[in-house]
Amino acid sequence: VCNRVTNLKTVVFEGEISEIENGAFAECNGIAEVQLDKVTEAEWNAVEIGGENEAILSRNVKYNFKR
């Protein structure tokens, strides 16, 4: 998805999400916020997140975010 992009600050997921593949956000360390449209905290916690995606883990996560 953003492999090694350094200027990406916010990631927005719109709709349902069930899996993030290995390395999708590898070395995208500039990410400060994850916005989840129509996704609850419980649904986010159930997402299967593959390895090398530390850039989106433990970030400021906004659930049921409305633009």
Side-chain angles (χ1 to χ4, degrees):
V1 170
C2 84
N3 197 341
R4 295 185 178 84
V5 175
T6 57
N7 62 348
L8 181 64
K9 303 295 181 205
T10 303
V11 175
V12 178
F13 292 103
E14 296 181 351
E16 295 180 17
I17 180 170
S18 60
E19 178 182 8
I20 299 174
E21 294 184 9
N22 290 337
F25 294 94
E27 299 182 38
C28 301
N29 298 322
I31 297 172
E33 183 174 86
V34 177
Q35 298 175 356
L36 304 169
D37 181 33
K38 301 177 187 167
V39 177
T40 66
E41 183 174 2
E43 291 168 332
W44 175 246
N45 290 332
V47 172
E48 185 176 325
I49 300 177
E52 298 183 56
N53 286 308
E54 291 80 11
I56 61 167
L57 300 173
S58 301
R59 298 297 188 236
N60 181 24
V61 178
K62 294 184 176 182
Y63 306 99
N64 290 314
F65 184 80
K66 305 284 187 214
R67 289 173 165 231

